[in-house]
Amino acid sequence: MASENYNDGVLPAETIAALIDTGGIEGADLRRLQPASLDLTLGSQAWRVRASFLPSRARTVTARLEDGLAMQAMDLSNGAVFERGCVYLVELNERLNLPETVKGAANPKSSTGRIDVFVRLVTDYGAAFDEIPAGYSGPLYAEISPRTFSILARSGSSLNQLRLKAGACRLDDAALEILNATSALVEGPANISGGLGLSVALHGSHSSLIGWRARRHSALIDVDKVGLLDPCEYFEPIAPPATGFIILDPDEFYILASKESLAVPPEYAAEMTPISPGLGEFRVHYAGFFDPGFGWSADGVNGSRGVLEVRSHDAPFVLEDGQLVARLVFEKMSARPKKLYGDDLHSNYQGQGLKLSKHFK
């Protein structure tokens, strides 16, 4: 696609819609637009594969599948079960013909991460997951790996989302300090070093919950059905620990919340970055995108806590109340979206505290 001029920053919904109209994004549904991203949808063709893989810069996804990595072809037209512990590849309905100045990034949707389904975007000639080089033209694929719960999905289901960017847009710590001084990003002091630090909340009244631990061998989750499931059939509630800490068991999945209430101003977007090994042997990064307006209000009454999808690595790990567990990086928008997160967009997590995915009552 020919080069066009775009202001530096994350592209808002209106610019993404223009790309859809001009063929820069094929097969996309305008109803899937978010303030700074596009929800991607599963196509009908899928494969169970032997292992996670990247095509490498020299090969297409199809070529890699023909190497013998595909175990079974699947038709998602009428739905199919994705079993926990297995790896699948699905061709998405959307195809890109990006301008030479526009690149992309992908993340699982919040609802996907909160049911412990690991989803990564794969492109032809891709050498990294979830990264789309500037000017990319070709198909998109989702690698899907349910970790705790088996899921039912179908053609048209949406498990991950696409964010498009032009030029340099990430704020360094100095710019983030200035932004926080003019529009508070958290209640109270901000921990800014390599992004905005988030700590975990493990303290509360005796009647409150501080988290959920996933139960294994639970029933199937239909990713397209909302508000039907009993949380206690899938998760074990965690009460505030008297000791002030909990021990994360290896290979177990937890839903926790940040101590801080967050606000993402309208001219910015944020992303939770993969945890630094220096912060601990655990992962708090499945669904990382925060749209403009998350937790923000024009009257200055801000507050949506960050929900943390936590999985320990190889050893048990002590997690204490107030411990630093994640960082948010902020990026400027190329333009302010006309509608912000929560503005009549049926946003599921505006004003959230400790909240499970939208599939639960």
Side-chain angles (χ1 to χ4, degrees):
M1 190 172 182
S3 179
E4 298 182 35
N5 293 322
Y6 292 89
N7 294 331
D8 285 2
V10 175
L11 304 189
E14 294 75 27
T15 307
I16 299 173
L19 278 170
I20 293 172
D21 289 341
T22 57
I25 307 174
E26 299 175 11
D29 185 342
L30 291 171
R31 294 172 296 180
R32 297 283 189 172
L33 283 170
Q34 304 296 333
S37 61
L38 172 68
D39 291 348
L40 301 173
T41 57
L42 304 183
S44 60
Q45 189 172 22
W47 302 264
R48 181 176 170 183
V49 294
R50 294 166 59 190
S52 174
F53 70 90
L54 282 167
S56 83
R57 296 193 186 280
R59 311 185 72 182
T60 65
V61 171
T62 298
R64 292 292 281 139
L65 288 171
E66 291 173 349
D67 283 343
L69 289 176
M71 296 173 62
Q72 178 185 10
M74 302 166 60
D75 184 354
L76 303 188
S77 300
N78 297 314
V81 173
F82 293 73
E83 297 182 17
R84 71 181 182 95
C86 300
V87 183
Y88 302 86
L89 191 75
V90 182
E91 186 168 6
L92 299 177
N93 287 317
E94 296 78 18
R95 182 183 178 94
L96 299 183
N97 299 293
L98 292 181
E100 295 174 6
T101 55
V102 174
K103 61 185 177 181
N107 251 218
K109 295 177 62 177
S110 292
S111 297
T112 306
R114 295 183 203 202
I115 55 172
D116 200 18
V117 178
F118 203 38
V119 180
R120 299 191 286 192
L121 189 79
V122 183
T123 64
D124 283 347
Y125 310 108
F129 294 110
D130 289 335
E131 295 181 8
I132 304 170
Y136 176 76
S137 180
L140 301 174
Y141 300 85
E143 180 190 284
I144 302 170
S145 179
R147 310 296 292 275
T148 298
F149 310 116
S150 296
I151 62 170
L152 175 64
R154 56 193 58 78
S155 179
S157 298
S158 182
L159 298 180
N160 64 339
Q161 54 193 163
L162 171 69
R163 184 170 279 182
L164 297 174
K165 310 174 186 182
C169 48
R170 181 168 293 189
L171 274 62
D172 60 20
D173 286 348
L176 198 55
E177 293 274 12
I178 294 171
L179 175 61
N180 184 62
T182 57
S183 180
L185 304 177
V186 293
E187 292 180 338
N191 180 334
I192 296 177
S193 177
L196 177 68
L198 297 182
S199 60
V200 65
L202 299 179
H203 180 73
S205 68
H206 292 295
S207 61
S208 67
L209 300 178
I210 55 89
W212 299 87
R213 172 174 165 159
R215 300 182 188 274
R216 293 188 178 273
H217 312 296
S218 298
L220 197 66
I221 295 178
D222 187 326
V223 299
D224 295 323
K225 292 186 177 179
V226 177
L228 299 179
L229 302 179
D230 180 352
C232 290
E233 292 184 3
Y234 294 82
F235 288 90
E236 174 188 353
I238 304 173
T243 57
F245 66 85
I246 62 174
I247 298 177
L248 302 177
D249 288 323
D251 202 31
E252 297 292 336
F253 181 68
Y254 301 81
I255 295 289
L256 304 172
S258 69
K259 214 170 182 67
E260 299 81 6
S261 293
L262 310 173
V264 180
E267 295 82 8
Y268 297 88
E271 181 178 357
M272 192 178 294
T273 59
I275 194 72
S276 165
L279 294 181
E281 291 303 316
F282 57 91
R283 181 184 178 93
V284 189
H285 172 66
Y286 279 61
F289 287 162
F290 291 74
D291 273 335
F294 176 86
W296 180 90
S297 65
D299 60 10
V301 181
N302 298 326
S304 291
R305 292 164 73 190
V307 168
L308 310 171
E309 300 127 2
V310 181
R311 178 179 287 277
S312 185
H313 292 328
D314 296 330
F317 187 81
V318 171
L319 200 59
E320 300 189 61
D321 181 64
Q323 184 171 336
L324 184 68
V325 293
R327 298 190 192 279
L328 283 183
V329 296
F330 281 73
E331 297 176 313
K332 66 181 180 179
M333 297 292 297
S334 67
R336 175 174 171 154
K338 290 182 179 178
K339 286 190 174 182
L340 302 177
Y341 188 87
D343 285 352
D344 300 319
L345 294 176
H346 306 290
S347 304
N348 291 292
Y349 307 114
Q350 186 72 310
Q352 72 181 357
L354 177 70
K355 187 176 176 67
L356 295 176
S357 75
K358 64 183 180 182
H359 308 99
F360 295 91
K361 299 176 183 177

